[in-house]
Amino acid sequence: MENEDMENVVIAGSGPAGLTAAIYTARSGLNPLVLEGLVPGGQLIVSPEVENYPGFPEPISGMELMDRFRKQTEQFGARFKMEVIEKVKRGRGNDIFEVDTGTEGIETKALIIATGAEARRLDIPTEPKFYGKGVSGCATCDGAFFRDKEILVVGGGNTAIQDAVFLTRFASKVTIVHRRDYFRAVPAEMEKAKNNPKIEWLIPWVVEEIIGDNTVSGAVMKNRETGETQQIPCSGIFVAIGNDPKSEAFKELVETDKNGFILVEAGSTRTSTPGIFACGDVCDPVYKQAVVAAGHGCMAAMDLEQYISSKEEVKC
Amino acid sequence: MLNTNLKHIETEQEVKEVLENNENVMICCGRMGPMCVPVFSVIEELEQTYPHVTFRDQDFDISAADFIRNLPECALFMGLPFTVYFKNGKVVAATSSIQSKNQVMEILDREFGKQS
């Protein structure tokens, strides 16, 4: 007998992929349950400005964009819980899944994994000690604490360059530290940074050590080509060095590549386990764009609808 | 304005009252941002587990937040939220920036004891 609390679909993650999947599955009458994860809205909410999301001719903050996603999703009746999935395993029979959040177990007929990725850290022993005391991963959250101070932004992608430009609103000087002599950030973002008189560049250098007693007072830097080291004073270090896919909780049931990205069939969102679909940054090592994730979320919803209806046909 | 299920502290009088009338108090002062929201949600969850602790949140940008912002224990903080733990009105612990459920529970257990 079917458990009356059984979900049709659980969507893990609440970024552009997860919420697009929720919009589509809700409109299809599947009554999706979205488990939002620790950061509702996903990584995009830390972006000070999103300029390339179609339909928004004026820049929009990542937070506001995700608020709009959320409102649209709610309009169609999707349900939300602020839960993080710890583990997923097969439930009764072979086609039911048990989702364990640590606080409750949820049975579902199908699962969409849209957990995205999480920010990589510098992996320096002293880094955790200085979180909230000079080291930050969120320019929009903590930038104002660095008024008239000198800070470093570590990274070479769009996030790092956007953060650096944003932080010049507060800081007296922003130094972009990047380990390579080329940048992944798009030319439009690079241009803004290059034209900003408060921004300086340190390439190809890496942060070797963070210095300070109670708060950050400087960093030991190392040149990756020459091995030269130097100590530079700074009050803050903003880290934007990329992300790792959040796939750990699902590894027993779905295949991943060596970097943890969930593998999906080409041209679809089907994983190695029927009934589990993956979309967005958790399975995208290449594009990592909000608009791609949203499109991928739509694909996952449509693949899932087809899966559910094929199961029902079999039952008939 | 905070959009959480926690009770908000909005005036200086409310800060005073909550500290005068409760032995164990935790106040989380922040914004609806990516570093703060996870901490608010952890507190919402723990509110049921720690009935002997009074949990409140507070918008970092209102004037009543001066009380938390100006605490000597928060003087070096450079990351939201500021989370402060009070025992009989005195600060016994304070943290800056995002915290995990385990980190929050460790402080609650240490300073206020586990639920009996």
Side-chain angles (χ1 to χ4, degrees), chain A residues 38-40 45-46 63 82 103 131-134 137-138 140-142 145-146 214-215 235, chain B residues 31-35 37-38 41-42 44-45 60 76-80 82 96-98 101:
Chain A
L38 199 57
V39 183
I45 63 171
V46 302
M63 185 71 117
M82 201 173 211
T103 54
Y131 253 86
K133 294 178 180 174
C138 180
T140 47
C141 308
D142 300 335
F145 291 110
F146 298 86
N214 295 312
T215 59
S235 303
Chain B
R31 300 183 179 121
M32 291 308 289
M35 299 293 129
V37 171
S41 78
V42 161
E44 282 180 15
E45 196 183 323
F60 191 80
L76 300 175
F77 286 0
M78 287 185 282
L80 291 181
F82 292 4
S96 172
S97 194
I98 191 168
K101 186 172 160 186

Side-chain angles (χ1 to χ4, degrees), chain B residues 91-110:
Chain B
V91 177
V92 289
T95 62
S96 172
S97 194
I98 191 168
Q99 301 285 306
S100 69
K101 186 172 160 186
N102 286 343
Q103 287 172 310
V104 172
M105 284 174 69
E106 195 186 313
I107 298 174
L108 290 172
D109 291 344
R110 188 181 70 225

Side-chain angles (χ1 to χ4, degrees), chain B residues 47-60:
Chain B
E47 214 171 12
Q48 313 301 320
T49 323
Y50 292 84
H52 57 304
V53 180
T54 302
F55 294 93
R56 294 288 185 272
D57 65 17
Q58 186 171 41
D59 187 332
F60 191 80

Side-chain angles (χ1 to χ4, degrees), chain A residues 138-169:
Chain A
C138 180
T140 47
C141 308
D142 300 335
F145 291 110
F146 298 86
R147 203 171 291 281
D148 301 322
K149 296 190 179 342
E150 295 188 8
I151 56 181
L152 308 182
V153 173
V154 186
N158 284 328
T159 304
I161 303 304
Q162 283 177 342
D163 282 356
V165 172
F166 174 79
L167 288 165
T168 59
R169 295 181 194 182

Side-chain angles (χ1 to χ4, degrees), chain A residues 2 4 28 43 52 62 65-67 85 102 127 143 146 181-182 188 190 196 206 211 221 245 255 272 290 296 299:
Chain A
E2 187 172 299
E4 61 183 27
S28 299
Q43 300 170 86
N52 56 3
L65 182 60
M66 292 319 299
D67 262 352
I85 295 181
E127 186 184 12
F146 298 86
D181 55 7
Y182 60 91
M190 290 298 291
N196 192 312
V206 292
I211 302 166
M221 314 297 299
E255 285 176 17
S272 52
H296 222 194
M299 287 169 64

Side-chain angles (χ1 to χ4, degrees), chain A residues 242-253:
Chain A
N243 303 286
D244 293 316
K246 286 197 274 189
S247 58
E248 196 59 39
F250 314 100
K251 278 186 173 166
E252 269 186 29
L253 284 179

